[in-house]
Amino acid sequence: MQDPNEDTEWNDILRDFGILPPKDEPKDETEEIVLRLQKEAEVKPFERMTLKELNEAEDGFDEDDMKALEMYRQQRLQEWKILQKTQKYGDLREISGEQYVKEVTNAQKDVWVVIHLYRSSIPLCLLVNQHLSLLARKFPEIKFIKAIVNSCIQNYHDRCLPTIFVYRNGQIKGRFIGVTECGGTNLKLEELEWKLAQVGAIETDLEESPKQNITDMMMSSVRSASVHDTSCASRDNDETKCYSHRNF
């Protein structure tokens, strides 16, 4: 029986009349290689693994796996480097007083640093920490830090907490000390964002200052008015202690 794929004039005539099916075209070698690699990649779980997991899984890979793994690792490293250029921080970090000078005063050049001195027994301090955690994710280029106040300043007055300092190049660019300056007991995330934007630390998309609850403002004013003159008379001295090098 004659091979229908054989190159003969008679077969060509039969193909023209539709009697024989079209001749099979030889497969492109490059296309076959690409398809094979794609198929191999489909069965490898590299895409779902972190760099650490890839390193730990190396012992179970054969030679082909190792080649594919190395290519994928280089790709992931490049992606990580690109991410690092745009996202330096991204979370609210805890430091001790001994780290203050290194992490705050001597922070990287032109980096804005927002540090919150707090006590966990004060509800507003916990609220501020929650807000700063969210802002840290929204503004990953800003260095957000928190520190228990006793590790930085001894005998710091509770009535002057929360305390937020904003630094840049070793200089204080903004400060919010006590309930009233920090925005009141019902402080909203947008209000804190606006305050930080006003001192230049962040570029907010808020077009105007968020409206604060009038009742909260009045109550905060009444509570703070009676103690403001006596309680924070030593505030400047406390602030000096906070960022004095000898305390860290």
Side-chain angles (χ1 to χ4, degrees), residues 12-27:
D12 289 339
I13 294 173
L14 294 179
R15 289 192 192 94
D16 289 340
F17 283 96
I19 298 174
L20 287 179
K23 185 179 179 182
D24 292 337
E25 296 292 336
K27 289 187 178 181

Side-chain angles (χ1 to χ4, degrees), residues 24-61:
D24 292 337
E25 296 292 336
K27 289 187 178 181
D28 183 20
E29 185 177 351
T30 303
E31 182 180 355
E32 286 186 347
I33 294 174
V34 171
L35 291 174
R36 178 174 59 81
L37 291 175
Q38 288 178 341
K39 185 176 180 181
E40 289 178 356
E42 287 175 359
V43 299
K44 307 299 181 185
F46 300 155
E47 292 84 353
R48 298 189 299 273
M49 300 173 71
T50 64
L51 289 175
K52 181 180 179 181
E53 290 171 338
L54 288 173
N55 291 331
E56 293 174 349
E58 281 187 6
D59 293 341
F61 292 155

Side-chain angles (χ1 to χ4, degrees), residues 138-193:
K138 184 175 181 180
F139 301 98
E141 70 280 5
I142 309 301
K143 191 174 185 179
F144 286 90
I145 295 174
K146 62 180 178 177
I148 296 175
V149 68
N150 284 351
S151 73
C152 300
I153 316 170
Q154 293 298 318
N155 303 317
Y156 194 69
H157 297 300
D158 280 2
R159 48 187 171 264
C160 292
L161 294 175
T163 290
I164 300 173
F165 291 130
V166 181
Y167 280 77
R168 188 168 186 261
N169 294 329
Q171 301 295 318
I172 291 182
K173 300 297 183 180
R175 66 190 73 186
F176 307 99
I177 299 174
V179 173
T180 302
E181 290 187 13
C182 284
T185 55
N186 293 325
L187 176 68
K188 301 294 188 298
L189 174 64
E190 294 78 10
E191 293 166 1
L192 183 54
E193 178 177 336

Side-chain angles (χ1 to χ4, degrees), residues 12 39 47 69 74 76-77 88 91 94 96 136 205 224:
D12 289 339
K39 185 176 180 181
E47 292 84 353
L69 174 61
Q74 292 301 320
R76 291 292 299 273
L77 284 173
K88 297 181 179 179
D91 59 358
E94 178 100 29
S96 66
D205 52 5
S224 61

Side-chain angles (χ1 to χ4, degrees):
M1 182 177 180
Q2 189 172 0
D3 183 1
N5 288 320
E6 189 179 355
D7 246 342
T8 65
E9 184 177 355
W10 175 246
N11 280 349
D12 289 339
I13 294 173
L14 294 179
R15 289 192 192 94
D16 289 340
F17 283 96
I19 298 174
L20 287 179
K23 185 179 179 182
D24 292 337
E25 296 292 336
K27 289 187 178 181
D28 183 20
E29 185 177 351
T30 303
E31 182 180 355
E32 286 186 347
I33 294 174
V34 171
L35 291 174
R36 178 174 59 81
L37 291 175
Q38 288 178 341
K39 185 176 180 181
E40 289 178 356
E42 287 175 359
V43 299
K44 307 299 181 185
F46 300 155
E47 292 84 353
R48 298 189 299 273
M49 300 173 71
T50 64
L51 289 175
K52 181 180 179 181
E53 290 171 338
L54 288 173
N55 291 331
E56 293 174 349
E58 281 187 6
D59 293 341
F61 292 155
D62 58 25
E63 184 177 350
D64 290 338
D65 288 334
M66 292 302 296
K67 290 179 181 178
L69 174 61
E70 183 58 29
M71 291 178 62
Y72 187 69
R73 180 187 284 112
Q74 292 301 320
Q75 177 186 340
R76 291 292 299 273
L77 284 173
Q78 289 301 317
E79 292 173 352
W80 181 81
K81 289 178 181 179
I82 293 173
L83 180 62
Q84 289 300 301
K85 290 180 180 179
T86 58
Q87 181 171 318
K88 297 181 179 179
Y89 305 107
D91 59 358
L92 176 63
R93 291 178 47 228
E94 178 100 29
I95 67 168
S96 66
E98 289 152 355
Q99 299 171 290
Y100 196 104
V101 172
K102 176 184 177 182
E103 297 289 343
V104 181
T105 310
N106 296 337
Q108 187 176 348
K109 184 180 177 182
D110 294 332
V111 169
W112 286 91
V113 181
V114 177
I115 179 163
H116 174 215
L117 303 181
Y118 75 99
R119 278 198 181 97
S120 58
S121 60
I122 297 177
L124 182 56
C125 286
L126 300 180
L127 179 62
V128 169
N129 279 340
Q130 290 177 13
H131 290 341
L132 291 179
S133 293
L134 295 174
L135 292 175
R137 290 197 285 272
K138 184 175 181 180
F139 301 98
E141 70 280 5
I142 309 301
K143 191 174 185 179
F144 286 90
I145 295 174
K146 62 180 178 177
I148 296 175
V149 68
N150 284 351
S151 73
C152 300
I153 316 170
Q154 293 298 318
N155 303 317
Y156 194 69
H157 297 300
D158 280 2
R159 48 187 171 264
C160 292
L161 294 175
T163 290
I164 300 173
F165 291 130
V166 181
Y167 280 77
R168 188 168 186 261
N169 294 329
Q171 301 295 318
I172 291 182
K173 300 297 183 180
R175 66 190 73 186
F176 307 99
I177 299 174
V179 173
T180 302
E181 290 187 13
C182 284
T185 55
N186 293 325
L187 176 68
K188 301 294 188 298
L189 174 64
E190 294 78 10
E191 293 166 1
L192 183 54
E193 178 177 336
W194 181 262
K195 286 179 177 293
L196 296 177
Q198 290 301 102
V199 298
I202 60 178
E203 294 184 7
T204 180
D205 52 5
L206 298 173
E207 297 181 356
E208 59 182 12
S209 176
K211 293 181 180 179
Q212 190 176 36
N213 186 279
I214 297 177
T215 302
D216 179 55
M217 290 179 65
M218 293 177 62
M219 292 183 65
S220 295
S221 298
V222 170
R223 284 195 298 267
S224 61
S226 61
V227 297
H228 180 73
D229 292 337
T230 56
S231 66
C232 290
S234 61
R235 186 177 69 187
D236 291 338
N237 182 50
D238 288 330
E239 290 174 30
T240 302
K241 290 181 183 178
C242 187
Y243 48 82
S244 171
H245 288 202
R246 63 187 178 84
N247 287 321
F248 305 105

